[in-house]
Amino acid sequence: MGKVKIKKNDVWIDMTPMSDVMVLLLTFFMLTSTFVKNEAVKVVTPGSVTEAKVPTADVLNITVNPQGQVFMSMDKTSDLVAALDEMCDLFGVQLSGEQRTKFRDDPQFGISMTKLSAYLTLPREKMSEGLKVGGGIPTDSIGEGESKQMSEFQHWVKAAKGNNPDLKLCIKADVTTPYSSIKKVMSELQDMNENRYQLLTSYKKAEE
């Protein structure tokens, strides 16, 4: 007696709905994600139990490394370029178009105005190292006695705030940064009547 062959039906699963969901999730994460710039000078912030949210827009980040050197970054390119133009006019520094582009694309800046042009002539792959040895933004007041003027750090803050009054100041220091260096930065801001700023910390649970 011959064997009866059972007809096999192919199983077909419609993957279209799953693909639609994956695309929607990917789009959601892309639109809600905040991209972090790869800063040359990184610090390990001290721990805190405070759960206050860090501002993500209209921010001037002030970073103080373990050696007490000051670096800055801004989240808006337009604010950065406007502040640069004001500082160059104030200190009589002339930059080429290529140098301005390098400064605009640099995720972090922190060098004296007298060294800025030389720093921006470095190849892009060497700018990160050049920034680390550049000495940071000077916080010492310019001049002596009656001719004493604001420091370069204060001028940068003034230029940034002048172009964007809504700018929020955030101070980020390393856990090993001497308190005297942080106090120096805060005193510089207080001298300008800039008394509203945030000290950034890493969140940790109370039991830790």
Side-chain angles (χ1 to χ4, degrees):
M1 181 175 177
K3 294 183 179 179
V4 178
K5 293 184 178 180
I6 301 175
K7 184 178 181 181
K8 295 182 179 180
N9 295 322
D10 293 333
V11 178
W12 181 78
I13 301 176
D14 187 5
M15 299 294 291
T16 303
M18 183 178 293
S19 300
D20 292 340
V21 172
M22 293 299 295
V23 171
L24 288 173
L25 287 173
L26 180 61
T27 304
F28 170 77
F29 286 121
M30 290 178 63
L31 294 176
T32 57
S33 297
T34 301
F35 294 95
V36 179
K37 294 181 179 180
N38 185 24
E39 297 180 337
V41 179
K42 301 181 185 298
V43 294
V44 179
T45 54
S48 171
V49 296
T50 303
E51 297 186 42
K53 291 185 178 181
V54 178
T56 57
D58 295 319
V59 179
L60 171 60
N61 285 307
I62 302 169
T63 302
V64 188
N65 71 359
Q67 291 74 41
Q69 298 171 340
V70 178
F71 304 85
M72 290 183 176
S73 62
M74 301 183 199
D75 64 317
K76 285 189 176 180
T77 304
S78 57
D79 293 343
L80 180 63
V81 172
L84 173 64
D85 290 340
E86 186 171 331
M87 289 294 290
C88 286
D89 291 340
L90 181 63
F91 287 88
V93 177
Q94 294 185 347
L95 300 177
S96 65
E98 182 181 359
Q99 289 174 319
R100 286 169 54 83
T101 300
K102 283 184 176 181
F103 187 89
R104 182 195 65 197
D105 297 338
D106 209 4
Q108 197 174 39
F109 64 95
I111 199 162
S112 171
M113 291 299 296
T114 59
K115 303 177 182 177
L116 182 62
S117 181
Y119 165 71
L120 294 175
T121 59
L122 294 173
R124 289 184 183 272
E125 61 273 13
K126 294 185 178 181
M127 288 179 65
S128 177
E129 189 61 31
L131 185 66
K132 293 178 182 178
V133 300
I137 300 173
T139 56
D140 296 327
S141 299
I142 302 171
E144 297 292 341
E146 295 182 357
S147 62
K148 191 174 181 179
Q149 302 175 9
M150 293 193 302
S151 65
E152 285 190 27
F153 168 75
Q154 290 174 320
H155 279 299
W156 272 111
V157 175
K158 181 181 178 182
K161 292 280 290 185
N163 290 286
N164 185 356
D166 298 326
L167 206 64
K168 306 172 190 66
L169 305 181
C170 294
I171 301 175
K172 181 171 59 174
D174 193 87
V175 67
T176 60
T177 301
Y179 175 72
S180 58
S181 300
I182 303 172
K183 188 177 185 299
K184 172 67 174 176
V185 171
M186 293 190 293
S187 297
E188 291 273 292
L189 294 175
Q190 290 170 357
D191 288 344
M192 303 173 62
N193 292 322
E194 292 290 346
N195 299 310
R196 296 179 63 88
Y197 49 82
Q198 289 184 301
L199 296 174
L200 303 187
T201 58
S202 300
Y203 176 71
K204 66 175 182 179
K205 295 182 180 179
E207 59 268 19
E208 294 179 1

